[in-house]
Amino acid sequence: MEFDSNTSVTGDIASPKSDWRGVNRPRASYRVVQTENAAFSAGYDGYLSLHHKTDNVDLQTHVGWLSGAMDHDPIRFGLRYDYAYTMIRLSHKFRSLHRVTPSVTYRQSDWGVAQAYYQWQNEDFLRHIENPIPFDSNPLDRDSNRYTFGVNQFLFLPDVLPQQITYLRIGALGEMNRADSSDFSYDGCEVSAGAAADLVFGIQLT
């Protein structure tokens, strides 16, 4: 169960604005190929929500994905493809999405792992917001291509860090979103940091 104080979908605002919803997230995956130096998997991730008071923001998203990797120690090459289809009210088409993510991971002996990745994402909004002004081009057209490049550095330093800390992570990414309407285009960057710690009773905090 989840509570949302502002239930809305792009282009739709629910009434009332706050509501409870039940959420189901089914998942399944299958390892198709597994060898000493290569792996290939396929899977499904789902998201289904049902609101208590209103149904015009009920969502269901179905994601099918393929993921492969090849090891040439100390380098690992990865490639993943996702296709997502989202519907509103369980039957009204809303969005179609393609995502491709190649990555390279480099193992730095026993003290660290460095990762670089690129991601291309294409979003096709199947439910468009009507343009109130009859121009040839719709300023509310959100269909877009997004390009992201990111790096992560994981550090495993048992001789330096407290015993409970299993790793440290620092990362950065930059992205460009190019929509059919320039009002929805943007550039952005992000810097992040994190850590993981082993607690009592087998609990890990990240």
Side-chain angles (χ1 to χ4, degrees):
M1 293 293 294
E2 296 179 348
F3 178 76
D4 193 338
S5 62
N6 185 24
T7 53
S8 63
V9 176
T10 304
D12 256 341
I13 298 177
S15 178
K17 291 185 177 182
S18 61
D19 198 0
W20 287 93
R21 61 172 170 256
V23 175
N24 184 24
R25 292 183 173 92
R27 290 185 173 184
S29 62
Y30 180 70
R31 183 68 57 84
V32 180
V33 175
Q34 178 66 64
T35 67
E36 183 178 354
N37 297 315
F40 179 76
S41 301
Y44 164 83
D45 296 330
Y47 175 91
L48 299 92
S49 68
L50 289 172
H51 288 75
H52 174 60
K53 298 177 183 177
T54 182
D55 65 352
N56 67 332
V57 288
D58 289 342
L59 292 176
Q60 59 170 309
T61 297
H62 304 280
V63 182
W65 55 265
L66 301 171
S67 179
M70 293 188 65
D71 284 323
H72 295 277
D73 195 42
I75 299 176
R76 180 181 180 90
F77 300 94
L79 180 63
R80 175 169 170 138
Y81 168 75
D82 297 80
Y83 174 73
Y85 191 87
T86 300
M87 289 179 284
I88 302 176
R89 296 179 182 173
L90 308 181
S91 60
H92 296 212
K93 61 185 181 180
F94 177 64
R95 185 189 65 174
S96 174
L97 180 149
H98 298 270
R99 183 188 298 123
V100 179
T101 311
S103 63
V104 178
T105 303
Y106 177 67
R107 184 173 60 84
Q108 301 153 316
S109 186
D110 295 328
W111 59 267
V113 171
Q115 181 190 55
Y117 65 91
Y118 168 80
Q119 186 176 93
W120 168 76
Q121 177 175 292
N122 172 265
E123 280 189 294
D124 181 11
F125 285 87
L126 308 173
R127 177 176 178 168
H128 294 284
I129 303 173
E130 294 298 328
N131 182 11
I133 304 175
F135 290 137
D136 291 337
S137 61
N138 188 350
L140 302 178
D141 193 345
R142 298 158 292 166
D143 294 350
S144 66
N145 288 285
R146 189 175 70 185
Y147 312 92
T148 304
F149 177 78
V151 293
N152 287 299
Q153 174 68 58
F154 294 86
L155 299 171
F156 313 102
L157 303 171
D159 296 333
V160 177
L161 300 173
Q163 184 178 1
Q164 295 82 1
I165 305 296
T166 55
Y167 70 81
L168 299 177
R169 181 191 66 83
I170 55 175
L173 67 83
E175 65 178 357
M176 299 186 303
N177 191 73
R178 295 296 177 261
D180 289 350
S181 168
S182 59
D183 290 345
F184 292 93
S185 296
Y186 63 86
D187 298 333
C189 60
E190 177 181 311
V191 177
S192 61
D198 290 330
L199 306 180
V200 296
F201 308 117
I203 299 174
Q204 186 180 69
L205 177 67
T206 57

